[in-house]
Amino acid sequence: MSWNEPGGGKKDPWSGRNDKNDPPDLDEVIRSLQDKLGGIFGGGSKGGLGSGPSMKGVGLLAAGAVILWGLSGFYTVDEGTRGVVTRFGAYVNTTQPGLNWHIPAPVEQVAVINVEQQRFIEVGYRSGGGQGMGSVPKEAMMLTKDENIVDVRLAVQYQVKDAKDYAFNVLDPASTLKQVTESVQRGVIGRSDMDFVLTEGRSDIVLAIKSEIQAVMDAYKTGILITSVNLQDAQPPEQVQGSFEDAIKAREDKQRLINEAEAYSNDVVPKARGAASRIVQESEGYKEKVIARANGDVSRFSQLLAEYKKAPAVTKQRMYIEAMELVLGRSNNVLVDVKGGNNIMYLPLEKLANKSIEEAAPAPVISHEPVSLPSQPMKEIKPDVRASSRERDVRGR
């Protein structure tokens, strides 16, 4: 059936009214939107937007806008950070970590500053690029007290201790800190000798630089806290590096020889002092021994003299017997009792004498102690002349 035949339903190819897959008419969409806006503002839907917006609709719209604007003032401050609130550019307060609110922009604004982050600056070198430390001669070359030049490379670590001062008092805190560090570093190095800077004075120089930098930054009220100062390297310029290393080796050899000499001295001197002390003590001991022996002899002689005066004969006989006992006890003489024995002689006499000495008891110890004598004088004991003559006869045989 063609479109112009009866019952075709006016399905001409240009109208497309009954085709549900086609997009809606643009006039109808605009008309529908105008009706909705008119309902909100209280106007009619016919004849455009109506007579005009109502005060109630404007109030609701303004209230919604104000609510949304107020909600935009909420913000969160993370742990380790502080929020610096400014009102038309002027400082208001500093907020702590957590959920906070401020008057939304453009009245107030918040700058969040990390107060726990460790920041650092490099003076005299640059460590970026992964190619090691690159020297910056303009910053690294410094003059010492003894008019030598050293290459000093320093790293300073810092963090924010006052967010307000850090944000408002200095335009560029990092640049200010670097300039202050370089100035303080040159002053400290200029007050020190080259050997002190390169050897034992590193720790003292670091402490002096840190304290002076902190004092200057506090005077500027930058809100910066210096946490550490690290002396990365301190050495002579590259042009004299070889000569300086030779000088260091010579100094180390000198110190090594001094240490060896001191070690040898510490080993020999105590031994010599000990030997001298031992000799002195032995001399003192020998002296005391000789004096004690002399005193003993004198005391013994004095006691014998006293006893001799009491009984001269008895004392003389006793001294004679003791002397003979001492002399004969050390000799190899053999005494034979001819009268009480037989005439048979055993030879050799030396073995007989040695046997008799072994069988005999140990010789009594001669005491030098004084012996108490009887009060009555004893008769003088005379030696037996016949016995002595018999002994001489036996020896002659």
Side-chain angles (χ1 to χ4, degrees), residues 14-35:
W14 298 278
S15 63
R17 293 180 180 179
N18 294 330
D19 191 359
K20 296 182 180 181
N21 294 328
D22 294 339
D25 191 3
L26 182 60
D27 294 336
E28 294 181 359
V29 173
I30 294 174
R31 190 179 297 106
S32 175
L33 180 60
Q34 291 177 350
D35 293 339

Side-chain angles (χ1 to χ4, degrees), residues 61 67 89-90 109 128 148 154 233 263 287 320 332 340:
L61 185 60
I67 292 174
Q109 294 181 351
N148 290 313
L154 202 69
D233 193 10
K287 173 184 176 182
Y320 172 77
N332 295 327

